């Protein structure tokens, strides 16, 4: 304002904006003389911390991924920004998941169809802490709706294993893992990857079922025969290199010279 037109206040303190100029004059209380005028330029340094924004977010039934950005127009950000990433279902159980310089994180192994609080903290050059919190909901799970085995019926001998392969649909199912089982482990067992090992002659059902709770399953009806199965001329030729044992001819084979 006009420094020649003053109103004097006696105060214990006052507030100023971020860019303020204070005008004044020196005053001699004894002689009642007013001296030189002066000005003071005040720069207010904030301590509220950087502003953090979530630029992108995606969520599935089991995962939440966010990308953040931090800036401080007053003090600036350090050359290397470190972010602390938290997550929890309530404020009370927020847990630090990771501290890193990357501005993206994927929270995994989450519950489907659940509201989660995600929280991110970082500091500006002065060390002031900025924080953002946001509630993000995980998606409904995509359940398995079909399992197809490459063999629905099969015959094997007791001397060879059989690998069963499963195709799980839809392609974007959240959990495509399977549980394998045999109806009679004394006849044949099956591994967690679908490898069948025969034990003795008999009939057995090999089953796989989705682990996601959908209840979808598929079966292979398996007949185990006591011996090695011969299907082709090549199988017969192999016997010459491994004589002895029990062999079962599964079909007619042309032995004429080609």
């Amino acid at each position: 304002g006009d420094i020649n037109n003053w109103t004097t206040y006696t105060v214990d303190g006052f507030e100023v904006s971020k860019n303020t100029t204070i005008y004044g004059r020196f005053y001699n209380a004894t002689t009642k003389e007013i001296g030189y005028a002066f000005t003071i330029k005040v720069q207010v340094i904030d301590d509220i911390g950087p502003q953090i924004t979530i630029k992108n977010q995606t969520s599935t039934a089991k995962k939440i991924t966010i990308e953040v950005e931090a800036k401080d127009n007053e003090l600036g950000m350090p050359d290397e920004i470190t972010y602390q990433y938290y997550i929890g279902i309530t404020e009370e159980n927020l847990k630090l998941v990771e501290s890193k310089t990357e501005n993206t994180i994927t929270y995994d192994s989450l519950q489907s169809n659940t509201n989660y609080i995600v929280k991110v903290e970082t500091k500006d050059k002065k060390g002031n802490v900025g924080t953002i919190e946001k509630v993000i909901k995980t998606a409904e799970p995509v359940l398995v709706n079909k399992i197809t085995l490459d063999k629905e019926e099969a015959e094997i001998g007791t001397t060879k294993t059989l690998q069963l392969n499963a195709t799980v649909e839809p392609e974007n199912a959240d959990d495509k893992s399977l549980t394998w089982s045999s109806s009679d482990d004394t006849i044949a067992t099956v591994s967690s990857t679908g490898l069948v090992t025969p034990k003795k002659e008999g009939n057995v059902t090999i089953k796989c079922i989705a682990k996601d709770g959908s209840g979808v399953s598929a079966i292979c009806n398996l007949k185990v025969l006591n011996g090695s199965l011969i299907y082709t001329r090549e199988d017969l030729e192999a016997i010459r290199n491994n004589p002895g044992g029990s062999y079962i001819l599964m079909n007619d084979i042309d032995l004429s010279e080609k």
Side-chain angles (χ1 to χ4, degrees):
D2 183 3
I3 63 175
N4 296 310
N5 183 14
W6 288 89
T7 300
T8 302
Y9 296 94
T10 300
V11 294
D12 294 329
F14 55 90
E15 294 184 359
V16 294
S17 63
K18 289 186 177 180
N19 295 290
T20 300
T21 300
I22 300 175
Y23 299 97
R25 287 183 182 273
F26 293 103
Y27 176 69
N28 190 319
T30 303
T31 63
K32 312 297 185 184
E33 294 178 346
I34 297 176
Y36 295 104
F38 65 87
T39 61
I40 302 174
K41 290 187 176 181
V42 178
Q43 181 182 5
V44 178
I45 305 298
D46 70 64
D47 59 358
I48 61 174
Q51 179 185 7
I52 306 173
T53 56
I54 296 178
K55 295 175 59 180
N56 295 296
Q57 69 179 62
T58 59
S59 62
T60 65
K62 299 293 184 181
K63 298 180 181 181
I64 293 174
T65 300
I66 61 172
E67 178 187 4
V68 299
E69 180 181 60
K71 61 182 179 180
D72 191 315
N73 294 329
E74 295 295 327
L75 296 175
M77 299 300 294
D79 294 334
E80 186 174 75
I81 304 171
T82 300
Y83 299 92
Q84 282 77 44
Y85 296 97
Y86 300 78
I87 193 168
I89 296 178
T90 66
E91 289 282 352
E92 291 72 23
N93 69 5
L94 278 173
K95 180 178 67 174
L96 177 63
V97 174
E98 195 171 2
S99 178
K100 61 178 182 176
T101 56
E102 290 85 356
N103 69 329
T104 61
I105 187 172
T106 296
Y107 304 98
D108 54 17
S109 300
L110 306 179
Q111 301 175 28
S112 61
N113 195 31
T114 302
N115 286 322
Y116 282 91
I117 302 171
V118 296
K119 175 181 174 182
V120 184
E121 289 183 348
T122 192
K123 296 179 180 180
D124 59 23
K125 281 187 175 180
K126 190 182 177 184
N128 299 314
V129 177
T131 302
I132 187 172
E133 287 189 13
K134 187 174 184 179
V135 176
I136 302 177
K137 188 176 185 179
T138 51
E140 293 278 0
V142 178
L143 299 178
V144 173
N145 58 30
K146 185 179 181 181
I147 301 172
T148 304
L149 292 178
D150 57 348
K151 295 179 180 66
E152 294 183 354
E153 293 187 354
E155 290 181 328
I156 60 172
T158 52
T159 60
K160 285 190 177 181
T161 59
L162 172 68
Q163 178 65 57
L164 292 176
N165 299 300
T167 301
V168 180
E169 299 179 55
E171 180 63 32
N172 64 334
D174 286 302
D175 185 357
K176 299 170 76 173
S177 57
L178 303 172
T179 298
W180 294 83
S181 63
S182 168
S183 62
D184 191 338
D185 285 341
T186 66
I187 297 175
T189 60
V190 61
S191 72
S192 60
T193 59
L195 180 64
V196 179
T197 301
K199 298 297 184 179
K200 68 176 183 179
E201 188 174 14
N203 295 317
V204 67
T205 299
I206 304 299
K207 180 178 181 180
C208 64
I209 185 169
K211 286 185 177 181
D212 64 355
S214 62
V216 176
S217 63
I219 63 171
C220 172
N221 294 312
L222 183 66
K223 185 175 184 178
V224 180
L225 301 176
N226 186 27
S228 299
L229 307 188
I230 305 300
Y231 289 95
T232 66
R233 185 167 181 167
E234 288 73 19
D235 292 336
L236 282 175
E237 293 293 333
I239 295 175
R240 296 181 180 180
N241 301 321
N242 186 26
S246 177
Y247 299 94
I248 303 172
L249 186 64
M250 301 301 295
N251 49 251
D252 293 335
I253 299 175
D254 184 3
L255 298 179
S256 61
E257 295 294 333
K258 298 295 180 83

